[in-house]
Amino acid sequence: MSKLKEILVPDVGEATDVEVIEILVAVGDRVGTDESLVVLESEKASMEIPSPTDGEVERIQVQEGDKVEEGDLILELSVQASPNNQAQSSGGVAGGSKESAGHQLETVRVPDVGEAKDVTVIEILVGAGSPVEADDSLIVLESDKASMEIPSPCAGIVTSILLSVDDQVEEGDDILTIETESVPRLTDSVRSKSQSVQSKSQSVRSKGQVVEKRPAADTSVIAPQGSKVHAGPAVRKQAREYGVDLMAIVGSGTKGRILKEDVKAHVKQQLDRTRSGEDGAGIPKVPQVDFAKFGAIEILPLSRIRRASAKNLHRSWLNVPHVTQFDEADITELEEYRKQQNLELSEKGVKLTPLSFLIKSVVSTLKEYPQFNASLHPDGEQMILKKYIHIGIAVETEEGLVVPVIRDADCKGLEQLAIESAELARQARDKKLPLDAMQGCCFTISSLGGIGGTAFTPIVNAPEVAILGVSRATVKPIFDGENFQPRTMLPLSLSYDHRAIDGAEAARFTSHLSKMLSDVRHMLL
Ligand code: CAO
């Protein structure tokens, strides 16, 4: 046997102007106990009204946009007259009891906030009707030095909010009242289901704790309270989790209500903007100038490679705290040896340039200082040391800069390194480099020695932690303690990620590298 059960608007605290913003069921739907039926929203809170019992929706008496108050009929459920259901229906979402015996009204006040003056209410995390547990955060106060969440001293239901966002407060000022026990005005299931607009903050601040002040410029953190935003609890929860300001979203639902899809689209849009470098990380944009106003101009498209390397370089530049260590290596003997070797190797069509010696010396230095053959873990708390040594060579091409990789450079001799680097440079310039030839790099060498210059500050190819820039070797008078001697000096510029490497380590690295280059016998060992 079945009977009709009326679902009425429960006591919604002091809220007036309560609006039905969403009907979650249709006539004929079977609903289970605690399943949400409609969403109500007042100026301060929104709450889902759950079904007190299993049943089938017979009639829906409200429409979206209707204004309702306590006791109004929401819908009728056809329920089986089992003893179980009878027991539940007597518990009473229906009607929401007005009985007041046994409960207590507690006024929560602003606690001692230390020496802070000009304390402002920046957020109200609960609304009238919100169920709260002891220690749940109620409001957020902010002084010029810190922000702090004020926790609830007891469990209960918030009955009224006695201040507003932007109010200036001091110790002892009333915050809100909480009905602490014992007659429930909503059923337990309503309590657990109904979620206030500003219910418990999902922010990382811990309760009652003074925490670092949020940067004033960060407007996308939490919606200003007290403003009218149409969104259901689930959407508000999602927005809090993503750190999205609902005020910044135009809802696509009925009457401009914000839907989950709107929040997702907003997040995606923000990520796209950041990715395209539009205004990520709060970096002020370079002003756009109409250069044609000042004279003739020509606009050329950037090559695909140049666009890709621009992104990579920009990302590394922004993420990596760079320092460059300069040094010089005496390669007088190395150059003599190289020329000698080249006479012999020319028959084979192989040419040793300083680059092969650089790779060889870098490999040996990386073995000595493995923290340079590493990457920072994305969690910023660990270092990933690589047990292989793949060396990247920056190659200039017509289309832009590419970095082919010599794999297992530690297993190769000078001749082999010369052949491979020449071949990779040729492939790069002929646009024939396979994709995997540009992957897996541990450490990059950028040699401008064939072109000129005395020093430069290369950009670390993150997530690598260092890059060696090499400039043109010149003959210089070097004092040997008694006389000046003409020596061929090779300028080295080692840029490194200062998060991963200390200055002293960098100085040791370049000193070791210079030593390797200054005596070719080291390399041949
Ligand atoms: N000092 C003096 N002479 C040098 C030298 C140095 N540090 N490095 C190379 N040379 C000489 C070579 O010995 C060669 O001379 P000879 O023809 O008389 O023998 C000449 O310069 C040209 O060398 P190369 O450039 O053809 O060969 P390489 O092995 O030195 O370099 C490569 C190969 C691919 C690194 C180079 O061609 C290249 O593209 N360099 C540009 C890299 C670049 O753009 N880096 C900037 C990146 S921004 O961070």
Side-chain angles (χ1 to χ4, degrees):
M1 211 183 89
S2 68
K3 64 170 203 157
L4 280 185
K5 166 143 192 66
E6 292 185 331
I7 308 297
L8 308 183
V9 175
D11 184 345
V12 284
E14 294 198 343
T16 50
D17 251 5
V18 179
E19 187 178 326
V20 178
I21 58 159
E22 197 168 359
I23 297 173
L24 305 166
V25 290
V27 171
D29 280 359
R30 288 215 57 82
V31 293
T33 307
D34 278 352
E35 202 171 304
S36 296
L37 301 171
V38 295
V39 184
L40 304 182
E41 188 174 85
S42 74
E43 258 172 38
K44 299 212 176 81
S46 69
M47 68 178 77
E48 292 180 14
I49 305 299
S51 176
T53 178
D54 295 349
E56 187 176 320
V57 179
E58 274 290 318
R59 229 182 321 276
I60 298 177
Q61 297 291 14
V62 289
Q63 290 183 349
E64 286 182 358
D66 279 1
K67 295 275 197 284
V68 293
E69 57 184 37
E70 183 186 352
D72 282 354
L73 178 61
I74 299 174
L75 52 77
E76 288 172 328
L77 282 182
S78 163
V79 295
Q80 289 299 317
S82 71
N84 191 24
N85 274 338
Q86 275 166 8
Q88 285 192 18
S89 58
S90 63
V93 156
S97 169
K98 280 257 178 194
E99 193 179 349
S100 61
H103 70 250
Q104 255 187 333
L105 217 55
E106 181 97 14
T107 304
V108 182
R109 298 199 167 83
V110 175
D112 180 2
V113 283
E115 293 194 342
K117 293 195 183 72
D118 284 341
V119 181
T120 310
V121 179
I122 57 156
E123 224 177 303
I124 298 175
L125 305 168
V126 293
S130 297
V132 289
E133 298 296 332
D135 279 338
D136 275 359
S137 297
L138 301 173
I139 61 168
V140 183
L141 299 180
E142 191 175 72
S143 72
D144 53 354
K145 294 212 182 67
S147 68
M148 70 180 88
E149 295 186 6
I150 305 299
S152 176
C154 53
I157 297 201
V158 176
T159 51
S160 57
I161 308 280
L162 303 171
L163 38 62
S164 313
V165 168
D166 289 333
D167 279 0
Q168 301 276 319
V169 294
E170 56 185 35
E171 184 182 351
D173 282 354
D174 292 350
I175 299 176
L176 47 75
T177 53
I178 296 180
E179 187 183 297
T180 55
E181 262 308 284
S182 64
V183 176
R185 298 194 306 169
L186 304 174
T187 62
D188 283 346
S189 59
V190 174
R191 285 185 193 194
S192 59
K193 268 277 177 177
S194 62
Q195 289 186 348
S196 114
V197 175
Q198 303 99 349
S199 71
K200 256 204 280 179
S201 167
Q202 302 280 323
S203 77
V204 291
R205 289 166 297 190
S206 57
K207 290 159 197 152
Q209 212 182 354
V210 176
V211 293
E212 205 185 321
K213 189 172 170 178
R214 264 202 314 266
D218 188 355
T219 53
S220 66
V221 186
I222 296 171
Q225 304 303 318
S227 38
K228 193 81 177 148
V229 169
H230 277 289
V235 173
R236 289 177 189 276
K237 182 164 182 276
Q238 183 192 34
R240 279 196 304 278
E241 281 168 1
Y242 292 172
V244 165
D245 177 359
L246 284 174
M247 290 288 284
I249 301 181
V250 179
S252 65
T254 342
K255 292 188 180 173
R257 228 159 61 71
I258 300 169
L259 310 176
K260 279 191 170 182
E261 289 65 39
D262 298 327
V263 177
K264 279 186 202 155
H266 177 80
V267 170
K268 187 173 176 307
Q269 191 191 27
Q270 295 296 320
L271 287 173
D272 286 348
R273 285 176 68 187
T274 309
R275 258 185 232 120
S276 67
E278 254 186 62
D279 61 358
I283 294 167
K285 282 210 264 180
V286 175
Q288 275 195 2
V289 176
D290 178 10
F291 300 106
K293 277 201 307 200
F294 307 108
I297 59 164
E298 185 185 1
I299 296 178
L300 299 173
L302 288 182
S303 71
R304 191 184 51 78
I305 290 180
R306 210 171 282 278
R307 276 182 285 146
S309 59
K311 262 189 194 170
N312 292 342
L313 290 165
H314 191 209
R315 191 179 51 220
S316 293
W317 179 257
L318 290 176
N319 278 294
V320 175
H322 280 79
V323 179
T324 306
Q325 169 74 18
F326 301 105
D327 209 337
E328 275 185 332
D330 184 337
I331 57 163
T332 315
E333 283 159 20
L334 183 152
E335 279 298 89
E336 275 169 26
Y337 177 79
R338 187 174 72 88
K339 281 174 192 147
Q340 208 180 24
Q341 288 298 304
N342 272 339
L343 291 176
E344 292 171 24
L345 288 170
S346 61
E347 285 171 22
K348 290 202 229 167
V350 178
K351 182 180 165 191
L352 291 181
T353 63
L355 186 65
S356 325
F357 295 88
L358 279 162
I359 300 170
K360 196 83 186 144
S361 321
V362 160
V363 163
S364 125
T365 314
L366 287 174
K367 282 184 181 164
E368 192 73 21
Y369 299 99
Q371 67 270 40
F372 288 78
N373 194 43
S375 284
L376 274 177
H377 192 280
D379 68 12
E381 298 189 354
Q382 299 170 80
M383 191 87 160
I384 303 164
L385 297 178
K386 295 159 199 171
K387 301 295 178 189
Y388 49 84
I389 302 183
H390 303 334
I391 302 290
I393 311 295
V395 176
E396 181 197 23
T397 75
E398 273 180 13
E399 301 277 300
L401 192 66
V402 289
V403 185
V405 179
I406 299 183
R407 294 197 165 252
D408 301 311
D410 52 325
C411 306
K412 293 171 181 165
L414 279 171
E415 202 179 315
Q416 178 69 15
L417 292 171
I419 294 168
E420 265 193 52
S421 51
E423 174 60 14
L424 286 169
R426 190 189 59 73
Q427 284 182 356
R429 287 174 180 139
D430 294 348
K431 299 181 209 156
K432 299 250 168 65
L433 265 184
L435 192 64
D436 65 358
M438 287 185 283
Q439 291 171 342
C441 184
C442 305
F443 181 98
T444 301
I445 299 175
S446 176
S447 172
L448 293 175
I451 305 167
T454 53
F456 66 110
T457 55
I459 297 177
V460 173
N461 191 12
E464 292 159 41
V465 292
I467 179 169
L468 179 71
V470 183
S471 299
R472 190 161 192 81
T474 50
V475 178
K476 288 185 174 179
I478 301 295
F479 193 61
D480 65 4
E482 288 179 7
N483 296 302
F484 282 98
Q485 303 289 347
R487 306 297 294 179
T488 306
M489 304 302 288
L490 178 72
L492 305 171
S493 310
L494 178 82
S495 291
Y496 57 92
D497 183 338
H498 209 343
R499 295 172 303 175
I501 288 162
D502 293 336
E505 294 172 319
R508 280 187 205 108
F509 186 96
T510 54
S511 297
H512 188 274
L513 185 60
S514 300
K515 195 171 125 201
M516 289 287 122
L517 289 162
S518 64
D519 189 342
V520 79
R521 284 169 305 182
H522 290 304
M523 253 173 267
L524 304 175
L525 289 175

